[in-house]
Amino acid sequence: MIALGLEGSANKLGVGLILHPAKGGPATILSNIRHTFVSPPGEGFLPKDTAKHHRSWITRLILQALKEAGVTVADIDCICYTKGPGMGAPLQSVAIAARTLSLLWGKELVGVNHCVGRMSSSRIRITRKPELSHADIEMGREITSAQNPVVLYVSGGNTQVIAYASQRYRIFGEALDIAVGNCLDRFARTLRISNDPAPGYNIEQMAKKGRHFVELPYAVKGMDCSFSGILASIDILAEKLQNGPTEMKDEETGEPITREDLCFSLQETVYAMLVEITERAMAHVGSSQVLIVGGVGSNERLQEMMGMMAKERGGSVFATDERFCIDNGIMIAHAGLLAYRTGFRTPLEESTCTQRFRTDEVFVKWRD
């Protein structure tokens, strides 16, 4: 079976084609295309502008994906699209495209939860398409040994600690206000850091040059986190920094605090919070494995900190690189095809989208 996946819940538009062998076995990525709407430095991406981007690019990305995969419309079994959660206008643009293709091609629809798509695609072993040799059709890291891990899902719109039980992805902890990725993105806006290729990535590069740690609020509440107060606090420090480099100095060395130091301090603080709640979830469910998914999951420092914690517990950490951590069509195609094979369909009249679609609302019929 072959599925076409369409993802457009935020500023990334992804189109992917995936093959599930009829007799079982590893899935094969046939194509994985993505295009990003990049807003100017100091600005976020507005829903209306992002939706316009998606409408402008969706047709050419689908054609490109079909060409790269070497398949025809007749080869496709179903069309999978992101039903939510996400930004309303971009979600609507992709849902309309999915419905249009369904009517034009006579293919059935499968609405997919974005968060479940993340975890489903991260659990499968992906093999190389035999007749292609592109590096981007191979999983960055082999993660098949993660049998039933605690999942840390971190992105611009979501922050959740999740574990699977009784055909549901159960949420053990989450952000009480803004997501960790949103916190990083908004601070990048404060510093007017470029949004190309992504604000969080550029903060990560600046943080590597930071030498002084500036203390920030640490807001862990049980299994949950809060990031809005941290953002407000570091925004104030950034404003002081803009008044002059001598305005703020490190208490031990007397050296001026830099923009790089603020990026370093923000990363260290919020990632320490995420490690804490993840470790607590591991202890609760008795797991020794952590799987990090979502765009922020590609951050090398987060992976390093999580790895240190897991090693102390005799466990291990699994993550993918930016090709699969960042929003993509393959994760939607894979999760949708898993549901499709169990008999799930989304009737045309129900092929809507929703900005709020919790991970634990989905009945995961394809897992025991």
Side-chain angles (χ1 to χ4, degrees), residues 81-132:
Y81 74 98
T82 303
K83 188 176 181 67
M87 300 171 67
L91 282 172
Q92 289 175 2
S93 297
V94 174
I96 290 171
R99 286 197 293 270
T100 303
L101 292 178
S102 175
L103 292 171
L104 284 173
W105 295 351
K107 306 293 181 179
E108 293 183 297
L109 287 169
V110 179
V112 177
N113 179 289
H114 177 93
C115 310
V116 172
R118 289 272 187 203
M119 290 174 285
S120 298
S121 62
S122 296
R123 292 188 72 255
I124 192 167
R125 180 177 171 230
I126 304 295
T127 63
R128 186 190 301 264
K129 182 185 175 186
E131 59 269 29
L132 291 180

Side-chain angles (χ1 to χ4, degrees), residues 244-322:
T246 59
E247 191 76 16
M248 293 174 54
K249 295 183 178 181
D250 180 66
E251 294 181 359
E252 293 185 2
T253 65
E255 295 179 347
I257 297 297
T258 65
R259 288 155 48 100
E260 289 76 11
D261 291 333
L262 292 184
C263 292
F264 166 73
S265 302
L266 179 60
Q267 278 201 166
E268 293 296 301
T269 302
V270 297
Y271 293 162
M273 291 162 55
L274 295 174
V275 170
E276 178 182 337
I277 63 173
T278 302
E279 182 177 18
R280 192 170 291 132
M282 292 173 70
H284 182 74
V285 303
S287 175
S288 62
Q289 298 178 332
V290 180
L291 174 62
I292 308 175
V293 300
V296 181
S298 61
N299 184 284
E300 293 176 358
R301 179 55 179 158
L302 174 59
Q303 293 179 10
E304 180 185 17
M305 293 172 68
M306 197 67 71
M308 293 168 62
M309 178 274 290
K311 184 177 180 180
E312 290 178 357
R313 298 180 60 87
S316 51
V317 174
F318 302 88
T320 58
D321 62 23
E322 68 277 0

